[in-house]
Amino acid sequence: MSSDNDRLIEALNENAGHYLKSGRLIEAGDTPFQSYEVWDTPQFGRLFRLDGFFMTSEGDEFFYHENLIHVPSICQIDPRRALIIGGGDGGSADELFKHPTMEKVTLVELDQKVVDIARRHLPKVHNGALDDPRLDLQIADGLAYVRTTAPAAGERFDLIVLDLTDPIGPAEALYTEAFFTDCKRLLSDQGALSLHLGAPVFQGERVAMLVTRLRRVFNTVRPHFHYIPLYGSLWGMACASDHIDPLRLSPVEVDQRLLSRGIQQLQYYNGDTHRAAFAQPNYIRQCLTP
Ligand code: AAT
């Protein structure tokens, strides 16, 4: 048995949580916004935490980023412009650039230090996406950015990705009905919002509340669920849109689109996982029924 001080522990609620053996500390410090640590862990290699919460790791990042990005974007005919709020590690941008029609990804990250850390320590998470010429990197508060941006009709976003810390503490205001409404204003006529919701088993009220808020703003809200190893649990995500519905694509159509777009190197996502992610056990259906 290892002692508590070689463990990185994350609480999922006040009664439960999970841990990973820490391994070697590579860098730690405080930014003007949050504290950070980069570890080299035996289970997942490089691992990044903010304020003591797991953000991403090079060993499991594909579970999170592939589903957050490809579930909505495969439903769009030609995803061309995307906005990521948060996501300074570059993992979401990397997945977006796999769609050959992608012309521009605007990434609005609050904390310059997160981008610096990712460039230095997390190359297997961003795979160079942070230096892709199609990336428009802006260090700013996503809340203010979404409120004040007024793109011309042809410059609206096909996808807005909330790749944010959990809706407790600083990011709380980016999970409100008002913020979702501001995001909707920026979406194109194939537009969708993609975000993560939390752990239905351990944070059921949070997941249900977010789905309710999204349903007040968007016509079609499709929660989907994936096991995310770093987060220690089944994790909810949602695709919210007035234009696309991920349930309309069959597994075969998803696989055909992946093939025709030349997206062949994914580690998680395929037509079967796309469809399966929307299959909800009864207790989750009940949790999500208003
Ligand atoms: N790609 C998976 C990693 C993240 S990190 C979330 C990012 O959101 C952090 O870099 C943080 O600095 C940024 N962020 C927080 N608030 C804002 C804001 N207001 N505007 C812009 N960026 C912000 C997601 C982790 C998910 C954790 C699940 N438990």
Side-chain angles (χ1 to χ4, degrees):
M1 273 298 266
S2 53
S3 67
D4 267 5
N5 56 14
D6 5 89
R7 292 176 184 186
L8 304 172
I9 298 171
E10 178 164 315
L12 283 157
N13 63 29
E14 58 194 20
N15 305 314
H18 82 121
Y19 78 88
L20 291 163
K21 191 170 173 188
S22 56
R24 187 167 67 93
L25 180 64
I26 293 186
E27 191 179 326
D30 293 300
T31 80
F33 303 101
Q34 47 211 344
S35 67
Y36 69 91
E37 296 143 53
V38 181
W39 295 86
D40 218 340
T41 63
Q43 183 66 46
F44 293 132
R46 294 282 165 86
L47 181 153
F48 175 49
R49 296 209 298 179
L50 285 174
D51 289 338
F53 292 101
F54 296 130
M55 294 293 122
T56 196
S57 82
E58 60 182 12
D60 91 316
E61 60 84 24
F62 61 90
F63 285 79
Y64 174 87
H65 293 121
E66 287 189 13
N67 288 305
L68 190 65
I69 300 306
H70 299 305
V71 167
S73 49
I74 207 70
C75 303
Q76 299 169 325
I77 297 301
D78 59 343
R80 294 186 302 113
R81 308 172 74 88
L83 170 65
I84 302 168
I85 308 289
D89 55 53
S92 289
D94 179 41
E95 297 306 325
L96 284 166
F97 288 133
K98 293 178 182 173
H99 292 261
T101 51
M102 195 56 65
E103 292 166 3
K104 184 175 174 187
V105 173
T106 303
L107 192 161
V108 180
E109 164 62 54
L110 181 66
D111 197 337
Q112 173 73 54
K113 189 77 190 181
V114 172
V115 178
D116 297 344
I117 289 166
R119 280 213 172 96
R120 249 199 332 271
H121 298 303
L122 304 169
K124 290 184 186 158
V125 173
H126 59 75
N127 288 308
L130 291 170
D131 297 307
D132 191 295
R134 294 167 290 175
L135 188 78
D136 171 20
L137 175 62
Q138 309 221 10
I139 301 301
D141 183 349
L143 187 68
Y145 182 90
V146 167
R147 263 191 202 148
T148 56
T149 299
E155 290 175 0
R156 294 212 182 102
F157 299 105
D158 299 317
L159 189 62
I160 299 180
V161 182
L162 306 185
D163 188 1
L164 284 164
T165 40
D166 291 359
I168 36 161
E172 204 174 333
L174 291 89
Y175 290 93
T176 60
E177 207 178 311
F179 184 72
F180 296 153
T181 306
D182 284 338
C183 286
K184 178 166 152 161
R185 203 173 44 80
L186 304 185
L187 288 174
S188 74
D189 56 13
Q190 60 175 343
L193 178 71
S194 184
L195 69 163
H196 73 92
L197 306 170
V201 179
F202 301 102
Q203 304 158 351
E205 280 180 23
R206 177 193 300 179
V207 173
M209 180 192 72
L210 290 173
V211 170
T212 301
R213 285 182 193 166
L214 289 166
R215 288 201 168 123
R216 291 199 189 114
V217 178
F218 292 95
N219 290 339
T220 305
V221 176
R222 298 292 186 208
H224 49 104
F225 296 89
H226 311 269
Y227 168 64
I228 310 286
L230 183 64
Y231 303 161
S233 176
L234 184 71
W235 206 258
M237 298 185 181
C239 172
S241 177
D242 287 353
H243 308 285
I244 62 157
D245 180 353
L247 277 184
R248 283 202 209 119
L249 279 191
S250 70
V252 170
E253 286 168 319
V254 169
D255 285 335
Q256 281 168 345
R257 286 189 183 192
L258 288 171
L259 187 64
S260 70
R261 294 181 194 191
I263 306 176
Q264 291 302 292
Q265 303 296 325
L266 300 180
Q267 295 178 83
Y268 187 111
Y269 179 77
N270 60 44
D272 285 342
T273 67
H274 178 97
R275 178 46 68 112
F278 295 94
Q280 293 166 5
N282 291 340
Y283 83 93
I284 291 187
R285 280 191 191 164
Q286 276 154 18
C287 164
L288 299 181
T289 306

